[in-house]
Amino acid sequence: MSRKVNILVLFGGKSAEHEISVLSARSITEALSPERFNVMLAGISRSGHWVIGQDAQDALRKGVVEEAGDCSVAVCPGCQEHSILVYSASENTCKTLEVDIVFPVLHGTFGEDGTIQGLLEMADIPYVGDGVLASASGMDKTIMKDIWKNNGLPVLPCVSILRHDLEENLESCLESALQEIGLPCFVKPANSGSSVGITRADTRQELLESMLLAAKFDRKIMVEAACPSPREVEIGVIGNDVPKCSVPGEISYSSRFYDYKTKYQNDGSPQLLIPAPIPVDVATLVEDLAKRAWRAADLNGLARIDFLLSKDGRIWLNEVNTLPGFTQFSMFTKLWEAAGVSYSSLLEELIELAFSRYKDKRRNLVKP
């Protein structure tokens, strides 16, 4: 790079993972080399309001993006040099931010689901991470399971149910889930993160209550067969057309399953075991399955791919997280650290991958 790269770190957002996003952005901005990068910040409040400049700096310090400032931010398709416009109502002025690349650290809905990626694609701005399709399909658990299943990859049996159908005929939906999946099972909102709205059902009544709960968080829910006493193994993957893997890690806990309280309130004494205490041949198989899952879903940039290991030795693909937690203590970054890639080096490699993907996309013809 002949000059400093103007990088906009975009964080906060409207999802349940707002605070985690702010922590991730704080870690990223502290680790990016000031000799190589000119770091700019933009925060998004829970209502969707963008803040920039000092208000964004304050958000990083406070840990939450508040409804503050008098500025309006616009991403402008067609502007030269990837411009973002900032209008100040109090000063009645409009200034331009020259942005070379965006690092969207927006976990969950409205950030990890293809929405912000679509905005940046329309504006022709390079960005770190997965594209529109991979982000959207990765966010939807039922779609991703279908993609993997249709590519011959191991996934647990599951069915999807629309909230509309639940409201129209709850009893029919319940019976269908019992017949096709049975008990015990897990019920999940199709589009959510951090295990929000996910419950385990061991009885008919629990399944009924779980379906109604999940439907509060999304218009589509997934009922999935439970893997008995699973070990939860995760692996980090980065790359574009040629993925490479970190070491696998395992999450150990004493709670009923790895739910929201276990993840963020330390209920169940969660522990990260890095590298995972699994045989070499199992680790090799996990890496192979992760690469196949990556290619099947057309992932690019980065992802954390999660597995369930059953007592009988079977390995199931569980889900993909296309923008995992990105603090220096998050599973994804710790996995790469164990693989010999430092946090700052990981960031720089992801930025290079984003520029490479953008350059490759521009090779596409738009007319015969």
Side-chain angles (χ1 to χ4, degrees):
M1 301 176 185
S2 58
R3 64 171 178 83
K4 284 188 180 182
V5 173
N6 295 326
I7 184 167
L8 180 71
V9 179
L10 185 59
F11 62 95
K14 299 167 68 175
S15 81
E17 299 171 85
H18 180 102
E19 289 86 356
I20 306 301
S21 171
V22 178
L23 292 176
S24 294
R26 184 187 299 166
S27 294
I28 289 170
T29 56
E30 290 174 351
L32 285 171
S33 169
E35 285 76 33
R36 299 191 65 188
F37 300 98
N38 177 32
V39 180
M40 297 173 283
L41 298 172
I44 302 177
S45 72
R46 285 193 174 88
S47 70
H49 180 74
W50 289 41
V51 299
I52 209 156
Q54 188 58 51
D55 291 326
Q57 292 279 3
D58 292 342
L60 278 193
R61 179 175 51 82
K62 295 176 180 178
V64 63
V65 183
E66 298 176 336
E67 306 289 343
D70 67 336
C71 291
S72 298
V73 181
V75 180
C76 302
C79 287
Q80 294 183 347
E81 301 298 330
H82 314 303
S83 293
I84 292 179
L85 301 183
V86 181
Y87 171 73
S88 172
S90 61
E91 299 177 3
N92 194 28
T93 58
C94 188
K95 67 176 181 179
T96 301
L97 296 182
E98 302 298 341
V99 176
D100 295 315
I101 190 167
V102 172
F103 200 136
V105 200
L106 298 166
H107 306 306
T109 49
F110 302 105
E112 197 176 342
D113 56 3
T115 50
I116 194 69
Q117 290 79 10
L119 175 64
L120 297 172
E121 289 279 359
M122 287 294 294
D124 195 32
I125 301 177
Y127 58 92
V128 172
D130 292 89
V132 177
L133 178 61
S135 297
S137 56
M139 190 70 189
D140 190 307
K141 297 176 179 64
T142 62
I143 296 297
M144 185 53 65
K145 289 294 175 71
D146 285 343
I147 290 172
W148 284 339
K149 181 180 178 181
N150 290 335
N151 279 272
L153 293 163
V155 296
L156 289 160
C158 64
V159 296
S160 61
I161 302 170
L162 295 179
R163 180 164 56 200
H164 170 270
D165 295 335
L166 282 177
E167 294 171 346
E168 288 293 313
N169 197 332
L170 178 60
E171 188 64 25
S172 176
C173 292
L174 179 62
E175 288 301 324
S176 178
L178 286 169
Q179 291 177 14
E180 294 188 50
I181 303 301
L183 298 169
C185 63
F186 282 92
V187 185
K188 310 175 181 181
N191 292 272
S192 72
S194 295
S195 298
V196 172
I198 296 179
T199 48
R200 176 185 166 109
D202 290 284
T203 67
R204 177 190 177 91
Q205 182 62 30
E206 285 182 345
L207 177 57
L208 173 65
E209 295 171 357
S210 296
M211 292 166 67
L212 293 174
L213 173 65
K216 293 180 179 180
F217 295 94
D218 192 40
R219 60 175 288 276
K220 182 170 63 173
I221 70 172
M222 180 176 76
V223 181
E224 181 179 45
C227 178
S229 303
R231 296 175 66 180
E232 301 208 15
V233 171
E234 303 178 348
I235 195 167
V237 189
I238 62 174
N240 285 329
D241 295 336
V242 182
K244 64 179 181 179
C245 294
S246 69
V247 301
E250 182 175 359
I251 299 173
S252 173
Y253 50 89
S254 61
S255 51
R256 195 181 185 195
F257 69 98
Y258 195 44
D259 59 4
Y260 185 90
K261 288 184 177 180
T262 305
K263 286 182 178 181
Y264 300 116
Q265 299 175 10
N266 290 324
D267 186 10
S269 304
Q271 290 184 312
L272 304 183
L273 307 177
I274 303 173
I278 55 179
V280 173
D281 60 329
V282 176
T284 300
L285 181 55
V286 165
E287 180 176 339
D288 177 67
L289 287 172
K291 290 178 178 178
R292 290 172 58 193
W294 174 281
R295 294 190 179 99
D298 197 24
L299 298 169
N300 50 81
L302 73 152
R304 195 195 68 231
I305 300 178
D306 302 346
F307 297 83
L308 300 175
L309 277 59
S310 64
K311 285 185 175 180
D312 61 4
R314 301 189 69 178
I315 301 176
W316 305 96
L317 277 161
N318 186 29
E319 64 181 33
V320 61
N321 191 323
T322 57
L323 191 59
F326 224 96
T327 73
Q328 298 190 37
F329 306 103
S330 298
M331 183 62 143
F332 180 80
T333 55
K334 296 294 285 184
L335 290 173
W336 280 107
E337 181 182 26
V341 181
S342 69
Y343 187 81
S344 58
S345 296
L346 180 62
L347 293 177
E348 293 192 9
E349 186 164 357
L350 291 174
I351 292 166
E352 292 293 345
L353 285 167
F355 277 126
S356 177
R357 179 172 174 271
Y358 176 78
K359 182 179 179 180
D360 185 62
K361 184 189 71 173
R362 291 179 69 86
R363 295 172 57 197
N364 298 344
L365 297 176
V366 295
K367 62 181 180 180

